[in-house]
Structures are given as structure tokens and as C-alpha cells.
Amino acid sequence: MAKIQLTSEENENLWITPFVAQLTDDCRDFHEDFQSNSVTSFTHYASFIRRQQSSDKHLLNPFYAFLHLCSDIYLSSGRNIQTGAFIGRRILRTLKSIEISSGQSALREFLYLFCHNNLSLHDYFLTNLRNYFPKVSDPEKSFFRMINKVSIKYARTNRKLETYVGDHLQQIENALHIDSFNKNKKSLTIINRDEELLISAMNYSVTAGGKRLRPLLMMMISDLFNLELKSILPLACGLEYLHTSSLILDDLPAQDNSDLRRGRPTLHKTSINNDIPENLFEGRAQLTAVDLIAISMRLINHGLVQNGFSSQRVNQVVDEISLSMHDLCIGQMMDLRAAHMGIEKENELVDELDHIAWFKTGKALEIVLVTPAILAISSSTVNNQSIDLNKIRELGRLMGILFQMRDDLLDIEGENIGKPIAIDIKNNTVTYVSILGIEGTRQRLKEFRQKTLNLINECWPSNAGTIKDVVNYIVDRKH
Amino acid sequence: MAKIQLTSEENENLWITPFVAQLTDDCRDFHEDFQSNSVTSFTHYASFIRRQQSSDKHLLNPFYAFLHLCSDIYLSSGRNIQTGAFIGRRILRTLKSIEISSGQSALREFLYLFCHNNLSLHDYFLTNLRNYFPKVSDPEKSFFRMINKVSIKYARTNRKLETYVGDHLQQIENALHIDSFNKNKKSLTIINRDEELLISAMNYSVTAGGKRLRPLLMMMISDLFNLELKSILPLACGLEYLHTSSLILDDLPAQDNSDLRRGRPTLHKTSINNDIPENLFEGRAQLTAVDLIAISMRLINHGLVQNGFSSQRVNQVVDEISLSMHDLCIGQMMDLRAAHMGIEKENELVDELDHIAWFKTGKALEIVLVTPAILAISSSTVNNQSIDLNKIRELGRLMGILFQMRDDLLDIEGENIGKPIAIDIKNNTVTYVSILGIEGTRQRLKEFRQKTLNLINECWPSNAGTIKDVVNYIVDRKH
């Protein structure tokens, strides 16, 4: 399902043949199975749709899977005409057999159930394609173009998070590595040495692992807006650098004073292969954080234009990022103040925690969601009217709050996320759990999850399964 | 001389009348005075030009001063036609009397000497204007347009530094004050309070005084390229914020560990009206430094586009700035390493000091010189071919080295620049003086001054007196 770039190596596709056969059978026998209460992927999905539950859970549409696999086989053959005719006949015969065995209304119902979120595909099958039923040995090219486009987009935007990570994480990790900017100026050996002290520190912190949730989320949004992933890589990396920069600063003694980050010494607590003495550790960490901002600005500003986005859009993206940085500073200031000075009692405590989570975590999510949307507005690949930036911003806020509530629960439940357990409690910080209790926090988490999933449905009706999976991951994660 | 925006209040111009009379006389009597070795502003300037010394010193051109004052009187009259005729007659009669008393070649020589750096004005006087000699009672409007344009530009770009500061410092200081970004969102009182903690800290550091040499230099360059000063204010302020940000970070305990900056406590050593407890001082200072970068990016990126510069140019400017920030981080890393680890003996020591001065100080000057040049390239007000960005970059490098050499001398000479005397020596840092000695450093300073002034002449032939004055200020300053 997840393979987008296809090779002509037919062997690679041998494994899918049994699936296609099974799906073909289940598709053809759908009505019979449904009446006899047999559970197949088709009947399961159909009863799911009938119960109108598509909003809160993400279930694979087996008909799209079937079409995608067919399309995959055709493309893998190098668009071989005989393979195409064979596959086309199979799809047409499958649909035709529904009409033959159960009548025309059965086919109509089938298409209603399995193409409910894609009107153009539904209409294509119902009107254009049925004309080909008499001459199934001659499928036309536009037929494959249609099912290919639909099924690939469906496959891209509804992968499970785990699959998505498998497909893209390496691409992100590779792109994140930072090289010298001055390395071509051979004469400047003095500069090279000091630049190297900063670049190795940047790479130490940038490659410290982490889930890369932000760049992955940005890619998911880009998929939904039909942006080419390669073209937005500078933005994905740049925002990850800004995130890393903020972590380096947060960890400093004057702020959160953390010695460890993801199980490794924080940058102000370490040299890299003994490159500097201990009295330079913290100074280097501070400079590295600022340098990451510089490198990030350069990469985003220069890289996006190089990748073909207009200066106007890039300008708007840089605008968004600078406002977001400002808000993140406010968020960290809130957090520092709350930790050291306490939260004033007269304020609505949960509201204040929501504000902190919004500014400290939500803003960093909002920016990866909203910037690809801004870039997409200019491109012709998307209907501009359909992008509501405010809804996307709200999505970032909700995800930030979900994140923080789950973190607070995890602290209590004693799971380790790379920093000493329950540090927030030790420091006497007010948390969701300390105000709402464990059960109260769990209940609120559940409500906010539903709210978030509903919002995703509003933004991308039934088409953003992977992002829903991210929301579920945030809420259900164990560390 | 310095007044650019003229009012119609004629009284304001009464003070210039004696000067105009004196200049008229000296202009008319130039040849006679020159032969009799009388010293007037005209003969002094002429012998100066003849000795081809225009490169190393900046001397006021008295003929331009005369023209500018005439133009000033005309404009102050609200372009009154009778005043114009009167002034025009005076200029024409003055030049005519040179030809009458000393012959046509004398006028030719006069124009050669006093318009040597402005061919169009020279030709205008020599060909067009002499046609009006017979009918001096009827000067045409284009005559004033010509002398006005030339004399105003001359006046703008050749003011003494002190005059320039008087004209523009207040404008800069006013623009530097930072307001809340979220203040219109009334509901967010929690956010407002934390934003205020950052904004008051930013303003504390930004308004700590300082010479504002960077924004002033940027304005001088903008004057030379005929950019409107108001339109580049966001850039001037934004770069000053970045500079302030780097000072806040440099002063931190883990870097230069300074408790004072310009005689006031550094940000990590103070609250602002007791707004935070002491254990938040340093954390707030770190966040403030980052927030200044964010505010700066926003102001430059958004403000320049709003002021009519194209997104492409602004994009290029942001590019330059991010590379400059990266280089400044390297410069500060060099400085830290040199201070804590020493300079390795096998390197050419003076070269290394030059590199540090270039990256630590020169890059911060280069960016204010080069960005208005980039903005000017797109505008139609300047001949693109005439802007050589590499020469302007080199100017920044030289000025950075001049700055550092003079600082090292001042440390030895015991002058106080707001930080404890001779801190560099106390810390055992290698300086220009410790390598070259006092006399050696003075000698090198002199050579570099000459090199810098020559470069300015190459960039703007005889037209950048104010910038030359800045160079002389850097070298001659006593604190």
C-alpha cells in the first residue's frame, strides 16, 4: 500500500497477488456476504459506514485498497498494454458481477458505500464505466488514470502512522544533517575550525533522535494538499532546527536545568569527542541554539524559493515562523514563571494550563500544520477556498493541549520519557493531574480527542486517516 | 546645510544670508585670491584637490555649499518666482564675473576644480548655463532642479557625522521601541502578562543607548543609493535588535560574563521594576535574546514588503541576514575559544585577530552596509552596474578590524567604555597591542584607515563624506 515510487520490477509485486484475489472475491460477493452476516473487509467497512462512525475511527476502505493494488500491478508492468487490459477487465468484471448477481440498485448501493467520500470516482463508475461493461476487453487509459489518482491519494493520506514513519523517517533524518556553510572557502582554516565546533554541536542535538512528529505532520499536510514532499523538505528541516534550538535553550541551567535529553547528556553538559574544555560547554550550547535559528532561516528562505515556491509565499511563511517563535518565547516564559512563581489562584487554573500548552507546545505544532497550507494556497493543485487556516491553527492548539495532558498523565503513571520521572511534580508545578485528578484528566483527554478528530473531519472529510492516527498516538502513547 | 525638509518659514533662513554673501564673494574672487595666496574656503579646497588628496580627508566643497544655500533660499520661499529669479541671477552673475574678470579658461578651470566629481553638473554649467549669461534675469526652472538635486544629494551624503547624528538619531530611537504583538487580543490577559515580561526586557536592552552606529551607517548607505530613509527603517531597527540580541547573549555568565553594559546592569543581572525574582533573571535574558531575533525577522520580512520593496529583494535580504547571523556565531565562538583556550602559536597571530574582528565585528557592519545596497539594486534610482557588493563587504571587514584595533588601544590607554578597564588583558587574551605593541598597532591602524578611505572613494567617488567621517570617528574616538 505504501509504496508510491514504483519500479518495473514485477517480482516485487508477487506478494500482493493473493490479496488482490481475496479482495476481488470479497468485492464480488459483497451483497451475499452482507445478507448472510459474513465478516469480510467489505462487509465490516460497510456496516461501519452505515453506523456513520467514520468520524472517530479510521478504517481502511477495502475497495480503494483493491483499486490501488490493481493500479499498482499495472504501473509495475511499465504500463504494459496487455497487463492493463487484464487488470481493467478484472475490475470491470468484478463490478459487473455485482450488477448481474444482485441487480442495478445493488451496484448503486455498493458505489454509494465504498466511494461515499469521492464523488468524482463514484460518478465515473456509475456513468462512464458502465458503458464499457459490454466491451470489457478494451479498457481505456483514462480509466487507469482515474483509479490511479484516487487510489494513490487515498493510500498516501490514509496510511497508518507506523507505515508513514517507515516510509519517510529516513528521508527526514538524512535531510536533517547539517554541513558546513563555508567549507568551499579553503583558505579560511581558522573559520572552519570554529564553524566545525558549532556544526558538530548542531548535529549532536539535531540527531538526538526524537519522534520527528513535526516534520512527519508537515508531510502529511503536504500530502493532503498535493505538495511534492521533496519541495517542502527545507521547511520541514528548518522547523525541526528551530524546535531543537528551543530544546537546547529550555534545558539550560537558568531555565529547566536538565542534564539529560532523550537519555543523552544535554548539549551544555558535554563536549563532542573532547573538542572543547568544560568551561566552554554552556557558552557553546547558547551559540549553537542561535546558530540553529540562523541556519533554519537560511534553509527555509533560500530552499523554498529554490524549490519553486514564489517569493511572496515564502515571505508569508517566514512571517508566520517569526510570529510563532515570538509566541513560543512567551510560552516558555509562562512556563518558567509558573514553575518559579506559581500560578495565581484567582485565575481559572485549567484555562491557564491550556494557555501554556497552547503557546509552549501547540504553537510548535501549529506552525508545521499551517505553513504547508500557506504554500499550497498559491499552487494550482488545491482549491484555495477549501483551506481554512484558522481551523488548521485550532488543530495545532488542540493537539498541543492533548500532548500536555497526556504528558502529565504519563508523569504520574511513572513512565520515563528520557528525563527524570515526575520532574514536574518534584518542582511543585501545577499540572492537569494536580488540578483535575487522574480520572478527570483522562475524561478531558477523551473529550478533546473527539473534538480534535471532528475538526480533522471538517478540514479533510474522510481523507486524513494518517493525521487521525497521529492524534490517537498522542493520546494513547505509553512514553 | 543639514536641513532637508524645508518649511516655508523664511525667518528660519535668515541666519544663512551672511554665509551666502561671503561664499558669493569668495567664489567670484577665486582666481584673484588663488594667485595672491589668500586663504578662503574656495582656495583651500582648490589646493586640496590639486594635491589629489581627496581620498584621505573629507573637505567641504564650498561651491556646493553655495549652491545648496541658494537652493535652500529658493525652496524656503515656497518656490516664489521672484526669489527664484533673484537667486538664479546671483548664481549666474557670480559665474559670469569669473569669466569676465579672468577669461573663459578661468571659468573652465573653476568648474573643473569644483565640479570634478559631478560630470553632469559640470557640463550643465559649461554648456547650457552659459547660454543664459546674456539674459540673467530669466533663469529657467530646470536650472534650479539641477542645482537642487546635486546640492541636496551632496549635502545629504557629505554631512559631518555629528550633524548626521543630530538629524537622524531621534528618528531611530523612536522607531526602536517595541510594542506588544498581541495587545489587540484583549481576552488573553495571561499571555499579555508574560509577553510584557519579554517586551519590557527587550526595550530595556534595546534602549540602553549606544552610538547606533549600525542604523546610522545603513541610513548613510541608503542616502547614497537614493533610498527613502523611512522605507528602510524596519531593516535598520531589525538589525539593531539582532545586534542587541547578540550583546545580551555575549554578556551571559557562560560567555563573557559581564555584569555591566554601558554602565547599567546587564539583563541577566536585573529585574525591571521588580517584575521577576532573581532566579528568573538569566532565563528571561536568554528568552529575550531569542525573542529579539523573532521580532527582528518579523519586522524586516514584513515591514520591507509593506514599504514597497519586492518580495524577491526582501527574500535576498533575509538570506544575507541569516548567513550573517551564522558568521557572527562563528565569530563569538572564535572569541570564546581564543579567550579560554588561547590562540595556537603556529598560526599567524595577527591574521587570526583579523579573522576574529572580521567575524565578530565586521560581519555586523557588513550586513548594515550590504542590505540597503541589495534593496537599491532593484529600485530604478540607481545604476545597477555601479554597485559592487564585494567592495561593500570588504568595507565592512576593514571597519571591523579598525574597530577592534582601536578598542585594543583604548583598553591599554585606560579609557572606560562601560565595562571594567582592560578586561581583555585581565583575562589574558591576545590582543593587537599584545602582539604588535602600542606603536605597531597605531601604525597599522593608520594604514588600515587609509586603505578604508581609498575603498570608500572607489565605491562612491568623492561623494561619501559622512561615511569617511565615520571611519575617522572609529579610529580617533577616545572611548
Side-chain angles (χ1 to χ4, degrees):
Chain A
M1 282 293 293
K3 213 149 53 69
I4 291 176
Q5 288 181 310
L6 300 161
T7 68
S8 59
E9 198 84 24
E10 282 196 61
N11 286 341
E12 284 188 15
N13 289 298
L14 282 180
W15 65 272
I16 63 174
T17 317
F19 291 106
V20 180
Q22 183 65 48
L23 286 167
T24 311
D25 288 350
D26 290 346
C27 181
R28 206 178 44 220
D29 300 339
F30 166 67
H31 270 84
E32 204 174 312
D33 290 339
F34 198 76
Q35 273 148 15
S36 66
N37 285 325
S38 299
V39 176
T40 71
S41 54
F42 281 84
T43 59
H44 182 59
Y45 185 80
S47 55
F48 184 77
I49 294 296
R50 289 188 178 209
R51 278 181 278 124
Q52 300 285 335
Q53 286 184 327
S54 68
S55 61
D56 60 343
K57 277 190 194 142
H58 164 49
L59 199 63
L60 198 72
N61 181 336
F63 184 55
Y64 282 3
F66 166 66
L67 292 177
H68 182 65
L69 291 174
C70 290
S71 172
D72 206 17
I73 292 171
Y74 170 60
L75 290 173
S76 299
S77 74
R79 297 176 202 269
N80 178 285
I81 190 155
Q82 284 174 312
T83 309
F86 171 79
I87 297 291
R89 276 197 302 274
R90 169 173 290 214
I91 296 170
L92 293 184
R93 281 206 190 102
T94 304
L95 291 174
K96 195 176 178 180
S97 70
I98 294 175
E99 187 169 307
I100 290 171
S101 63
S102 311
Q104 198 190 313
S105 70
L107 178 62
R108 203 178 285 273
E109 189 189 8
F110 179 89
L111 291 175
Y112 166 75
L113 283 170
F114 292 96
C115 302
H116 68 103
N117 52 19
N118 194 311
L119 203 65
S120 60
L121 187 71
H122 174 273
D123 293 351
Y124 182 78
F125 276 133
L126 201 63
T127 57
N128 302 42
L129 198 69
R130 287 176 70 242
N131 298 334
Y132 291 100
F133 281 6
K135 36 176 177 167
V136 282
S137 59
D138 179 27
E140 60 167 12
K141 277 202 172 184
S142 67
F143 164 65
F144 270 109
R145 227 176 280 133
M146 173 58 104
I147 66 161
N148 193 40
K149 199 176 141 199
V150 168
S151 66
I152 282 197
K153 168 136 191 190
Y154 181 80
R156 262 168 48 199
T157 60
N158 287 286
R159 271 168 287 177
K160 286 281 162 192
L161 176 57
E162 203 181 333
T163 313
Y164 202 95
V165 170
D167 289 347
H168 294 298
L169 191 60
Q170 197 53 50
Q171 185 183 16
I172 293 169
E173 295 291 350
N174 292 345
L176 280 172
H177 185 83
I178 298 168
D179 280 324
S180 164
F181 270 49
N182 291 316
K183 66 178 171 185
N184 291 327
K185 302 177 192 162
K186 292 280 182 202
S187 63
L188 306 179
T189 53
I190 300 165
I191 292 157
N192 281 347
R193 191 181 41 188
D194 290 283
E195 189 183 36
E196 186 52 35
L197 291 180
L198 290 169
I199 290 191
S200 53
M202 288 194 261
N203 281 323
Y204 175 85
S205 292
V206 166
T207 60
K211 299 172 289 287
R212 306 296 184 211
L213 207 56
R214 283 164 199 77
L216 287 167
L217 265 173
M218 175 179 292
M219 286 184 157
M220 292 169 201
I221 299 282
S222 302
D223 272 335
L224 284 165
F225 288 133
N226 295 317
L227 293 173
E228 219 192 315
L229 295 191
K230 238 174 81 178
S231 71
I232 57 100
L233 261 185
L235 181 59
C237 291
L239 291 177
E240 194 68 0
Y241 296 159
L242 288 182
H243 176 60
T244 306
S245 169
S246 75
L247 296 182
I248 293 173
L249 291 168
D250 287 0
D251 287 339
L252 289 176
Q255 298 190 45
D256 298 349
N257 194 21
S258 304
D259 295 351
L260 290 176
R261 160 80 56 187
R262 293 181 189 126
R264 300 197 311 170
T266 44
L267 187 57
H268 67 275
K269 281 287 176 186
T270 190
S271 74
I272 294 153
N273 301 322
N274 288 312
D275 57 352
I276 51 170
E278 197 175 340
N279 58 3
L280 286 186
F281 287 179
E282 190 180 343
R284 195 243 303 255
Q286 290 163 355
L287 288 173
T288 302
V290 173
D291 206 359
L292 275 169
I293 299 174
I295 299 273
S296 163
M297 275 171 61
R298 160 73 181 182
L299 185 63
I300 292 169
N301 194 62
H302 194 71
L304 288 179
V305 170
Q306 270 197 321
N307 288 354
F309 293 104
S310 75
S311 299
Q312 285 89 331
R313 283 301 155 204
V314 176
N315 204 266
Q316 212 179 330
V317 162
V318 173
D319 244 30
E320 279 288 334
I321 293 171
S322 49
L323 288 176
S324 171
M325 268 177 71
H326 172 59
D327 286 341
L328 285 169
C329 288
I330 297 175
Q332 176 66 3
M333 191 71 228
M334 282 177 174
D335 206 36
L336 275 188
R337 186 182 48 74
H340 288 83
M341 299 166 74
I343 294 182
E344 284 158 40
K345 289 294 170 214
E346 64 261 39
N347 291 316
E348 186 62 59
L349 288 176
V350 175
D351 268 10
E352 175 128 5
L353 288 180
D354 281 354
H355 272 119
I356 296 178
W358 177 22
F359 271 66
K360 213 179 124 68
T361 312
K363 289 285 178 180
L365 293 167
E366 176 187 322
I367 194 68
V368 301
L369 301 173
V370 87
T371 46
I374 289 171
L375 291 176
I377 288 173
S378 66
S379 80
S380 55
T381 54
V382 72
N383 174 4
N384 295 348
Q385 296 308 84
S386 72
I387 302 183
D388 183 342
L389 292 184
N390 284 333
K391 280 189 183 165
I392 296 179
R393 289 185 205 283
E394 172 66 3
L395 184 57
R397 190 182 76 89
L398 289 174
M399 287 171 88
I401 293 171
L402 285 178
F403 231 109
Q404 192 57 53
M405 286 198 285
R406 184 63 193 152
D407 264 357
D408 287 356
L409 279 171
L410 283 171
D411 279 348
I412 288 294
E413 290 164 4
E415 297 287 344
N416 195 328
I417 57 169
K419 60 178 181 179
I421 295 167
I423 193 172
D424 296 336
I425 297 301
K426 260 200 324 217
N427 288 350
N428 234 341
T429 310
V430 178
T431 70
Y432 285 105
V433 176
S434 74
I435 297 174
L436 300 171
I438 294 183
E439 266 320 304
T441 306
R442 283 191 184 141
Q443 184 55 37
R444 193 164 186 265
L445 193 58
K446 202 174 152 191
E447 288 159 19
F448 268 68
R449 182 214 300 247
Q450 191 53 51
K451 220 162 144 180
T452 311
L453 293 173
N454 291 345
L455 182 60
I456 294 174
N457 271 333
E458 277 180 50
C459 292
W460 302 279
S462 308
N463 215 355
T466 315
I467 291 181
K468 286 184 198 163
D469 221 28
V470 171
V471 172
N472 290 325
Y473 160 78
I474 291 173
V475 175
D476 297 330
R477 76 207 145 96
K478 298 288 178 228
H479 47 79
Chain B
M1 282 292 294
K3 214 150 53 69
I4 291 176
Q5 288 181 309
L6 299 161
T7 69
S8 59
E9 197 83 24
E10 281 196 62
N11 286 342
E12 284 188 15
N13 290 298
L14 283 180
W15 65 272
I16 64 174
T17 317
F19 291 106
V20 180
Q22 183 64 49
L23 286 168
T24 311
D25 289 349
D26 290 346
C27 180
R28 206 178 44 219
D29 300 339
F30 166 67
H31 270 84
E32 205 174 310
D33 290 339
F34 198 76
Q35 273 148 16
S36 66
N37 285 325
S38 299
V39 176
T40 70
S41 55
F42 281 84
T43 59
H44 181 60
Y45 185 80
S47 56
F48 184 77
I49 294 296
R50 288 190 177 208
R51 278 181 279 123
Q52 300 285 335
Q53 286 184 327
S54 68
S55 61
D56 59 343
K57 276 189 194 145
H58 164 48
L59 200 62
L60 198 72
N61 181 336
F63 184 56
Y64 283 1
F66 167 66
L67 292 178
H68 182 65
L69 291 174
C70 290
S71 172
D72 206 17
I73 291 171
Y74 170 60
L75 290 173
S76 300
S77 74
R79 299 176 201 269
N80 178 285
I81 191 156
Q82 285 174 312
T83 309
F86 171 78
I87 297 292
R89 276 198 300 276
R90 169 173 291 215
I91 297 171
L92 293 184
R93 281 206 189 102
T94 305
L95 291 175
K96 195 176 179 180
S97 71
I98 294 175
E99 186 168 306
I100 289 170
S101 64
S102 312
Q104 199 191 312
S105 69
L107 178 61
R108 204 178 283 273
E109 190 189 7
F110 179 89
L111 291 175
Y112 167 75
L113 284 169
F114 292 96
C115 302
H116 68 103
N117 52 21
N118 193 313
L119 202 64
S120 60
L121 186 71
H122 175 274
D123 292 351
Y124 182 78
F125 277 134
L126 200 63
T127 57
N128 302 40
L129 197 68
R130 286 176 70 241
N131 299 334
Y132 290 101
F133 280 6
K135 37 176 176 165
V136 281
S137 59
D138 180 28
E140 60 168 11
K141 277 202 171 183
S142 68
F143 165 65
F144 270 110
R145 227 176 279 133
M146 173 58 105
I147 66 162
N148 193 39
K149 197 175 142 200
V150 168
S151 66
I152 281 197
K153 168 135 192 192
Y154 181 80
R156 261 168 49 198
T157 60
N158 287 286
R159 271 168 287 177
K160 286 283 163 192
L161 176 57
E162 203 181 333
T163 313
Y164 202 95
V165 169
D167 289 346
H168 294 298
L169 191 59
Q170 197 53 51
Q171 186 183 16
I172 293 169
E173 295 291 351
N174 292 345
L176 280 173
H177 184 83
I178 298 167
D179 281 324
S180 163
F181 270 49
N182 291 316
K183 67 178 171 185
N184 292 327
K185 302 178 193 162
K186 292 280 182 203
S187 64
L188 306 180
T189 54
I190 300 165
I191 292 157
N192 281 347
R193 190 180 43 187
D194 290 283
E195 189 182 37
E196 186 52 34
L197 291 180
L198 290 169
I199 289 192
S200 53
M202 288 194 261
N203 281 323
Y204 175 85
S205 292
V206 166
T207 59
K211 299 172 290 286
R212 307 294 184 211
L213 207 56
R214 282 163 199 78
L216 287 168
L217 265 172
M218 175 179 292
M219 286 183 158
M220 292 169 201
I221 299 282
S222 302
D223 272 336
L224 284 165
F225 289 133
N226 295 317
L227 293 173
E228 218 192 315
L229 295 192
K230 238 174 79 178
S231 72
I232 57 101
L233 262 185
L235 181 59
C237 291
L239 291 177
E240 194 68 0
Y241 296 158
L242 288 182
H243 177 59
T244 306
S245 168
S246 75
L247 296 182
I248 293 173
L249 291 168
D250 287 0
D251 287 339
L252 290 176
Q255 298 190 45
D256 299 349
N257 194 20
S258 304
D259 295 350
L260 290 175
R261 161 79 57 186
R262 293 179 189 128
R264 300 196 312 170
T266 44
L267 186 58
H268 66 275
K269 281 287 176 185
T270 190
S271 74
I272 293 154
N273 302 322
N274 288 312
D275 57 351
I276 51 170
E278 197 175 340
N279 59 3
L280 286 185
F281 287 179
E282 190 180 342
R284 195 242 305 253
Q286 291 163 354
L287 288 173
T288 302
V290 173
D291 205 0
L292 275 169
I293 299 174
I295 299 272
S296 163
M297 275 171 62
R298 160 74 180 181
L299 185 64
I300 292 169
N301 194 62
H302 194 72
L304 288 178
V305 170
Q306 270 197 321
N307 287 354
F309 292 104
S310 75
S311 299
Q312 285 88 332
R313 283 301 155 204
V314 176
N315 205 266
Q316 212 178 330
V317 163
V318 173
D319 244 29
E320 278 289 334
I321 293 171
S322 49
L323 288 176
S324 171
M325 267 178 72
H326 173 58
D327 286 341
L328 285 169
C329 289
I330 296 175
Q332 176 67 3
M333 191 71 228
M334 282 178 174
D335 206 36
L336 275 188
R337 186 183 48 75
H340 289 83
M341 300 166 73
I343 294 181
E344 283 158 40
K345 289 296 170 210
E346 64 261 38
N347 290 316
E348 187 62 59
L349 288 175
V350 175
D351 268 10
E352 174 128 6
L353 288 179
D354 281 354
H355 272 119
I356 296 178
W358 177 22
F359 271 65
K360 211 179 125 70
T361 312
K363 289 285 178 180
L365 293 167
E366 176 187 322
I367 194 68
V368 301
L369 301 173
V370 87
T371 46
I374 288 171
L375 291 176
I377 288 173
S378 66
S379 80
S380 55
T381 54
V382 73
N383 175 3
N384 295 348
Q385 296 308 84
S386 71
I387 302 183
D388 183 342
L389 291 185
N390 284 332
K391 279 189 182 165
I392 296 179
R393 289 184 204 284
E394 172 66 3
L395 183 57
R397 190 183 75 91
L398 289 173
M399 288 171 88
I401 293 171
L402 285 178
F403 230 109
Q404 192 57 52
M405 285 199 285
R406 184 62 194 153
D407 264 357
D408 287 356
L409 278 171
L410 283 171
D411 279 348
I412 288 295
E413 290 163 4
E415 298 286 345
N416 195 329
I417 57 170
K419 59 179 181 177
I421 295 168
I423 193 173
D424 296 336
I425 297 301
K426 262 200 322 216
N427 288 350
N428 235 341
T429 310
V430 178
T431 70
Y432 285 105
V433 176
S434 74
I435 296 174
L436 300 171
I438 294 182
E439 266 320 304
T441 306
R442 284 190 184 141
Q443 184 55 37
R444 193 163 187 265
L445 193 58
K446 202 174 151 190
E447 287 159 19
F448 268 68
R449 181 213 301 246
Q450 191 53 51
K451 220 161 142 180
T452 311
L453 294 172
N454 291 346
L455 182 60
I456 293 173
N457 272 332
E458 277 180 50
C459 292
W460 303 279
S462 307
N463 215 354
T466 315
I467 291 182
K468 286 183 197 163
D469 221 29
V470 171
V471 171
N472 289 325
Y473 161 77
I474 292 172
V475 175
D476 297 330
R477 75 208 145 95
K478 298 289 178 228
H479 48 79

